[in-house]
């Protein structure tokens, strides 16, 4: 019988990319598109069906029945709800993991974060991801669950916050920092590969989701501006001069005190999806600008 694979929350950027990639890799599988929204009416692959009103914070048994019952595998993406806060994100993600195990899911791919490598220096960000990753690993001994963690890297789309200033011709301020920016769609594509090939190849693996190149923040901003057909003046300032929430300040300070690339930079993504599909930042920027209708 063809497998049933749950993706939750499927409306996340990596979740959507996974659903699309699974259609090509495992057309025989049934993909359960799980969302807390009341409905979802955008086009989906023929092998996908929507399960709506599935709240990650619902009681475990209720969520198991609604989202994961009958599934052999699942992609679980760490929730990111600004209104809920980091602590609740971690608990909701753990709740999804528990529900999947209760429902009898045999293999879970979890989208986490590279920040777990810096539990002290990046405590505000890492706290979203440390607990769910540790829970998943501990449940292996209790239930026999197989697992893979995709540690999301520095998202290329972070630079999009500079679009208004670039459009306005204003100076853009950044700190001394170097990252390997990842197209979030590549994370979903990696998840689809793991779910398609299964735990025999990917159990107990933690893959670092980096881009194929390391770039400074200044280089990323200038590449984005070039894709927009704009000129930009970038001012590199000390981390102490940049305002923002605590998690951003911690990230800027760590990057300022790191020689070379701050986020992990390796070939895991290329090894999973192939170098041809591994998006370079300039290509991502042109695609993002086109989607925004900027050029």
């Amino acid at each position: 019988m063809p497998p049933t694979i749950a993706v939750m929350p499927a409306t996340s950027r990596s979740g959507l990319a996974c659903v699309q990639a699974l259609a090509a890799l495992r057309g025989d599988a049934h993909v359960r598109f799980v969302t807390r929204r009341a409905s979802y009416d955008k086009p989906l692959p023929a092998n996908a069906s929507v399960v709506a009103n599935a709240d990650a914070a619902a009681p475990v048994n209720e969520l198991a029945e609604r989202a994961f019952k009958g599934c052999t595998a699942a992609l679980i993406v760490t929730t990111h709800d600004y209104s809920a806060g980091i602590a609740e994100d971690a608990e909701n993600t753990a709740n999804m993991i528990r529900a999947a195990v209760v429902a009898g899911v045999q293999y879970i791919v979890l989208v986490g974060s590279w920040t777990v490598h810096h539990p002290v220096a990046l405590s505000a960000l890492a706290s979203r991801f440390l607990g769910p990753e540790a829970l998943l690993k501990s449940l292996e001994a209790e239930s026999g669950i197989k697992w893979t963690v995709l540690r999301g890297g520095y998202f290329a789309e972070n630079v999009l916050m500079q679009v208004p200033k670039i459009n306005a011709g204003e100076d853009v301020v950044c700190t001394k920092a170097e990252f390997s920016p990842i197209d979030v769609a590549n994370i979903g594509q990696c998840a689809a590969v793991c779910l398609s090939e299964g735990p025999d190849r990917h159990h107990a693996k933690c893959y670092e989701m980096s881009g194929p190149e390391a770039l400074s923040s200044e280089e990323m901003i200038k590449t984005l501006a070039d894709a927009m057909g704009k000129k930009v003046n970038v001012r590199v300032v000390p981390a102490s001069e940049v305002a923002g929430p605590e998690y951003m300040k911690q990230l800027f300070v760590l990057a300022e005190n790191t020689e070379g690339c701050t986020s992990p930079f390796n070939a895991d993504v290329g090894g999973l999806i192939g170098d041809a599909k591994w998006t370079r930042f300039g290509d991502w920027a042109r695609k993002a600008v086109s989607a925004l209708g900027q050029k």
Side-chain angles (χ1 to χ4, degrees):
M1 186 169 67
T4 298
I5 301 171
V7 177
M8 182 179 185
T11 52
S12 62
R13 293 177 296 277
S14 52
L16 284 167
C18 178
V19 170
Q20 296 294 335
L22 280 171
L25 293 171
R26 286 299 304 265
D28 62 318
H30 175 65
V31 178
R32 190 174 295 171
F33 187 99
V34 185
T35 176
R36 70 177 182 179
R37 298 181 186 180
S39 63
Y40 188 85
D41 56 8
K42 295 181 181 179
L44 289 173
N47 67 335
S49 62
V50 176
V51 174
N53 295 308
D55 191 340
V60 167
N61 289 337
E62 177 185 320
L63 186 59
E65 179 75 19
R66 185 163 192 80
F68 299 110
K69 184 178 180 181
C71 294
T72 55
L75 170 64
I76 292 176
V77 182
T78 301
T79 63
H80 192 182
D81 186 339
Y82 286 106
S83 64
I86 286 175
E88 196 162 321
D89 282 337
E91 181 52 40
N92 286 346
T93 303
N95 199 55
M96 288 188 285
I97 292 170
R98 294 187 187 99
V101 171
V102 166
V105 170
Q106 299 164 14
Y107 177 47
I108 293 175
V109 176
L110 173 68
V111 175
S113 170
W114 69 278
T115 58
V116 299
H117 295 296
H118 303 279
V120 177
L122 297 179
S123 59
L125 283 171
S127 61
R128 284 182 64 212
F129 306 98
L130 286 164
E133 185 173 317
L135 172 66
L136 187 60
K137 294 174 182 178
S138 70
L139 287 172
E140 179 186 356
E142 297 176 21
S143 67
I145 188 76
K146 305 298 184 185
W147 56 268
T148 301
V149 177
L150 306 180
R151 290 176 175 153
Y154 185 85
F155 294 168
E157 64 192 37
N158 289 341
V159 77
L160 291 177
M161 69 178 67
Q162 308 298 351
V163 166
K165 288 190 174 182
I166 295 172
N167 273 329
E170 299 176 8
D171 285 0
V172 175
V173 174
C174 71
T175 62
K176 171 188 169 290
E178 185 177 288
F179 298 101
S180 53
I182 178 76
D183 180 351
V184 177
N186 285 165
I187 300 176
Q189 292 157 1
C190 287
V193 169
C194 293
L195 290 164
S196 298
E197 297 178 347
D200 287 349
R201 290 195 62 177
H202 301 289
H203 171 55
K205 299 287 182 64
C206 294
Y207 295 117
E208 304 294 344
M209 300 285 99
S210 73
E213 59 205 324
L215 298 170
S216 69
S217 294
E218 182 177 7
E219 288 172 319
M220 284 185 261
I221 293 165
K222 288 182 175 179
T223 300
L224 176 63
D226 184 64
M228 295 168 62
K230 305 281 188 179
K231 296 292 184 181
V232 65
N233 183 54
V234 181
R235 291 192 296 112
V236 180
V237 301
S240 59
E241 294 184 16
V242 180
E246 182 63 21
Y247 70 85
M248 288 182 63
K249 293 177 181 178
Q250 289 183 341
L251 181 60
F252 293 150
V253 169
L254 175 66
E256 187 175 66
N257 291 288
T258 300
E259 287 298 322
C261 193
T262 303
S263 58
F265 180 34
N266 64 21
D268 285 355
V269 174
L272 287 168
I273 64 175
D275 289 346
K277 293 182 179 179
W278 196 7
T279 310
R280 299 189 70 82
F281 185 78
D283 294 331
W284 170 87
R286 287 184 286 274
K287 181 173 61 176
V289 166
S290 177
L292 290 171
Q294 289 286 317
K295 188 176 179 182

